[in-house]
Amino acid sequence: DAKTTQPTSMDCAEGRAANLPCNHSTISGNEYVYWYRQIHSQGPQYIIHGLKNNETNEMASLIITEDRKSSTLILPHATLRDTAVYYCFQSRRSSGGSNYKLTFGKGTLLTVNP
Amino acid sequence: ETGVTQSPTHLIKTRGQQVTLRCSSQSGHNTVSWYQQALGQGPQFIFQYYREEENGRGNFPPRFSGLQFPNYSSELNVNALELDDSALYLCASSLDATGSGGAFFGQGTRLTVV
């Protein structure tokens, strides 16, 4: 079962920053926070992940609280193409041949409006 | 484009039949995972293959089976199809079983069981 909680839906105006929250209060020390998104009728797309430091890439920024119990994904300038379901989850980056699986919940439907 | 291709894109089968779905992983990726996504739900982990061997399994019955080939492409086989098997089946490839750099998903195969 998914261990994270996210709002069911959010709206954002085109060109504005979209801030998507996620609570992961049961995260353990060796678990990363991952964000994926799924645009309608497509496969999920990896966005970003982090352990405890804030991370930024060409798609988004990830802000993780100091206690690691929550995080926020920031899309700095949302476009209509960013309308999608955004999934947040915690996952252990395993080693030694152990499997790495993604545990998706229901995510947040972000709708970017013109 | 993720470099992960799945075939076929759509498929209709009759209850009790068997089906094989195929996935070509991204070049250089030796790990393939399969997910089932029912309508309105997040993807659910079925199993993972790492270097041609099953490397972890989710809560799916044995009639869900798979293979990974030396070129790291993979097949998902489902026997004795049931109506509830109707779903989008997603394949994800990653650089290795630790999930370095995230997992890259294909567009999925939409299976309808009638």
Side-chain angles (χ1 to χ4, degrees):
Chain A
D1 291 341
K3 302 175 185 176
T4 59
T5 55
Q6 299 176 254
T8 303
S9 63
M10 292 182 64
D11 287 323
C12 177
E14 187 179 18
R16 304 297 292 268
N19 298 288
L20 293 97
C22 179
N23 289 321
H24 31 80
S25 58
T26 63
I27 195 167
S28 59
N30 61 354
E31 288 185 311
Y32 287 70
V33 178
Y34 283 84
W35 284 84
Y36 280 71
R37 73 179 182 184
Q38 188 171 23
I39 296 170
H40 183 62
S41 298
Q42 297 185 19
Q45 177 189 23
Y46 166 80
I47 302 174
I48 199 167
H49 72 279
L51 184 62
K52 55 183 179 181
N53 297 320
N54 298 337
E55 301 287 344
T56 295
N57 63 20
E58 65 278 4
M59 287 184 69
S61 295
L62 175 61
I63 308 298
I64 302 174
T65 58
E66 193 169 341
D67 64 6
R68 302 208 323 122
K69 292 186 177 181
S70 65
S71 62
T72 301
L73 179 75
I74 302 172
L75 308 179
H77 305 287
T79 71
L80 299 180
R81 289 177 297 177
D82 291 323
T83 292
V85 177
Y86 286 77
Y87 297 100
C88 158
F89 46 84
Q90 56 202 63
S91 183
R92 183 168 47 90
R93 276 186 59 186
S94 56
S95 61
S98 298
N99 77 80
Y100 157 74
K101 70 175 186 180
L102 310 177
T103 306
F104 293 86
K106 292 192 175 181
T108 296
L109 173 60
L110 173 69
T111 303
V112 180
N113 300 304
Chain B
E1 292 292 330
T2 63
V4 179
T5 58
Q6 293 186 243
S7 62
T9 55
H10 295 82
L11 198 55
I12 299 175
K13 288 286 191 178
T14 303
R15 189 172 51 182
Q17 285 188 313
Q18 179 266 343
V19 69
T20 297
L21 310 181
R22 295 178 175 83
C23 172
S24 294
S25 59
Q26 187 174 83
S27 177
H29 285 188
N30 60 21
T31 303
V32 172
S33 303
W34 286 90
Y35 291 80
Q36 180 195 66
Q37 186 173 24
L39 205 59
Q41 304 294 318
Q44 300 297 307
F45 176 74
I46 302 175
F47 45 55
Q48 181 188 81
Y49 278 83
Y50 172 63
R51 294 186 175 179
E52 301 180 57
E53 296 204 0
E54 188 177 293
N55 186 43
R57 188 177 184 92
N59 189 26
F60 282 81
R63 58 189 184 85
F64 285 78
S65 63
L67 281 174
Q68 187 178 33
F69 301 99
N71 66 355
Y72 302 132
S73 65
S74 177
E75 287 182 354
L76 164 66
N77 299 291
V78 187
N79 293 322
L81 283 167
E82 301 176 359
L83 297 180
D84 285 348
D85 295 333
S86 295
L88 180 67
Y89 287 85
L90 295 159
C91 161
S93 77
S94 55
L95 189 60
D96 54 37
T98 70
S100 310
F104 294 85
F105 284 81
Q107 298 287 67
T109 294
R110 173 74 62 187
L111 173 65
T112 303
V113 182
V114 297

